[in-house]
Amino acid sequence: MMHAYTLKAPAKINLLLEIIGDRPDGFHELVMVMQSVNLADIVELQPLSGDRIELFCNHPQVPCDQSNLAHRAARLMQEQFPGKGGVAITIDKKIPIGAGLAGGSADAAAVLVGLDLMWGLGLTQAELHTYAAKLGSDIPFCVSGGTALALGRGEELTPLPDLDQLYAVLAKYRSLSVATPWAYKTYRQQFSESYARDPEALEKRRREGHSVELLAAISHRDSQKVPQYLYNDLEKVVLPEHPQVQEIRDLFQSFGALGTMMSGSGPTVFGLADSRSKAELMATQLQTALPDPDLEILVTKFCSSGIQLLS
Ligand code: ATP
């Protein structure tokens, strides 16, 4: 008798996102450093008869049809493992959507991990990563989480030492979303002349680019240095388009954040602190400086795991 599973699906922030070239598949060659945070959706899976997939989400802007990434993850698993049954997926949405926090990717990762458990498949982490990569570039990272270097489209992962002593204040205007494809397309239009053009040049950019100092700081688990080497190429296209995002970044800086950066394609901006009390103070200062009910401010801690089984 199969039973229900409840999983925690953490959001991610990008400590670094560097665009180094184009790929034949139309995506970009990236160097990213990804970090899981404690802010998480709760995803519940219940077995259903036949091959039905049902999806419920308590957030009105999240589609509950086949376009939901969690639905697509369930369909992929059914295609790979026919006859295992259907599933009802319930998503308790805590991660802001269209935010650069990989909320949809986290939900899809939770479905992959949850169905592996529900169907008793015993998949390895590498097998889960392979299925995850078919669904989206950030999904392999969401499966395993923690701190990781991500190359290629973001699916080639190397785990890095944990940075679980840092706190992040996340700030996003609820009414503002950035479409990830728009951000990358605009970047290509403006900056493609700087792309590495051949395998040697790409390798040189991977070894000698902006990640060098950050990776050194992470290897020493130096929570003061890590925030000094945050980097995100997509800020170059998103910040000029959305001055209110730049403003949040400037405010975090003026409040003495250890570091501040936009996450992924934005528009979420995070400010880092080395204690919960400093993070909470920064959140209060931001709230006071920008008393706009549309601005969502969340205090969260770095976390060292991806999808976690709650029950
Ligand atoms: P990323 O950092 O990977 O670009 P994001 O945080 O910018 O992700 P998401 O919140 O994952 O963006 O989703 C963006 C869009 O995808 C939403 O506007 C929504 O229509 C659609 N979507 C599909 N599935 C989901 C899901 N499970 N949760 C949230 N959005 C989803």
Side-chain angles (χ1 to χ4, degrees):
M1 176 70 188
M2 284 190 260
H3 58 92
Y5 287 85
T6 305
L7 304 112
K8 181 176 160 184
K12 63 87 185 156
I13 57 174
N14 294 86
L15 302 180
L16 179 132
L17 189 164
E18 189 177 4
I19 298 172
I20 61 171
D22 257 327
R23 294 164 56 95
D25 61 12
F27 287 89
H28 278 97
E29 275 299 332
L30 303 173
V31 179
M32 297 194 287
V33 176
M34 318 274 266
Q35 175 65 52
S36 303
V37 293
N38 254 331
L39 171 68
D41 289 347
I42 304 298
V43 179
E44 192 189 305
L45 304 182
Q46 281 176 308
L48 285 181
S49 58
D51 61 358
R52 280 185 301 149
I53 299 173
E54 291 177 3
L55 194 140
F56 311 91
C57 181
N58 56 353
H59 193 298
Q61 278 158 268
V62 173
C64 286
D65 57 12
Q66 293 97 317
S67 70
N68 193 297
L69 267 179
H71 195 290
R72 291 178 45 211
R75 183 65 73 210
L76 175 75
M77 288 294 275
Q78 284 186 332
E79 284 162 10
Q80 299 294 324
F81 304 99
K84 290 289 182 186
V87 62
I89 304 164
T90 307
I91 301 170
D92 179 5
K93 193 44 94 178
K94 300 271 176 27
I95 306 173
I97 69 165
L101 298 172
S105 297
D107 298 342
V111 169
L112 296 179
V113 172
L115 288 181
D116 173 45
L117 293 170
M118 195 194 271
W119 295 345
L121 301 172
L123 296 176
T124 62
Q125 196 80 353
E127 287 167 326
L128 284 168
H129 280 176
T130 304
Y131 297 129
K134 289 181 199 288
L135 293 164
S137 308
D138 285 347
I139 304 179
F141 172 76
C142 290
V143 168
S144 41
T147 310
L149 175 68
L151 301 176
R153 292 189 289 134
E155 82 290 13
E156 295 171 29
L157 297 174
T158 307
L160 296 170
D162 289 340
L163 295 173
D164 46 13
Q165 64 279 46
L166 281 165
Y167 291 79
V169 183
L170 311 177
K172 178 189 178 280
Y173 286 102
R174 289 185 180 83
S175 61
L176 180 65
S177 288
V178 171
T180 305
W182 171 85
Y184 279 102
K185 193 181 78 194
T186 308
Y187 190 89
R188 181 180 284 119
Q189 282 163 0
Q190 295 183 15
F191 298 102
S192 61
E193 75 285 356
S194 69
Y195 290 2
R197 301 268 163 224
D198 56 71
E200 291 75 35
L202 280 169
E203 194 46 38
K204 192 170 152 61
R205 290 283 294 274
R206 278 187 206 103
R207 267 186 289 110
E208 297 172 15
H210 289 273
S211 60
V212 175
E213 288 94 350
L214 179 65
L215 292 175
I218 292 173
S219 73
H220 296 112
R221 303 188 69 214
D222 187 333
S223 52
Q224 300 298 310
K225 282 244 173 75
V226 165
Q228 293 172 24
Y229 297 111
L230 305 174
Y231 183 83
N232 185 349
D233 270 327
L234 292 176
E235 285 197 334
K236 293 178 199 159
V237 294
V238 178
L239 296 183
E241 187 77 14
H242 301 291
Q244 68 276 46
V245 178
Q246 175 75 54
E247 184 184 26
I248 298 173
R249 200 183 182 293
D250 295 343
L251 284 166
F252 274 138
Q253 201 118 43
S254 74
F255 301 151
L258 291 177
T260 177
M261 187 65 44
M262 186 181 82
S263 181
S265 55
T268 301
V269 173
F270 61 87
L272 300 183
D274 56 8
S275 72
R276 179 168 289 277
S277 58
K278 287 182 198 166
E280 278 168 357
L281 175 62
M282 212 152 61
T284 308
Q285 287 173 302
L286 187 64
Q287 183 87 70
T288 309
L290 299 172
D292 182 343
D294 191 41
L295 182 64
E296 183 168 24
I297 303 171
L298 299 160
V299 174
T300 185
K301 190 174 195 279
F302 282 24
C303 83
S304 53
S305 58
I307 303 303
Q308 286 165 269
L309 183 63
L310 295 178
S311 64

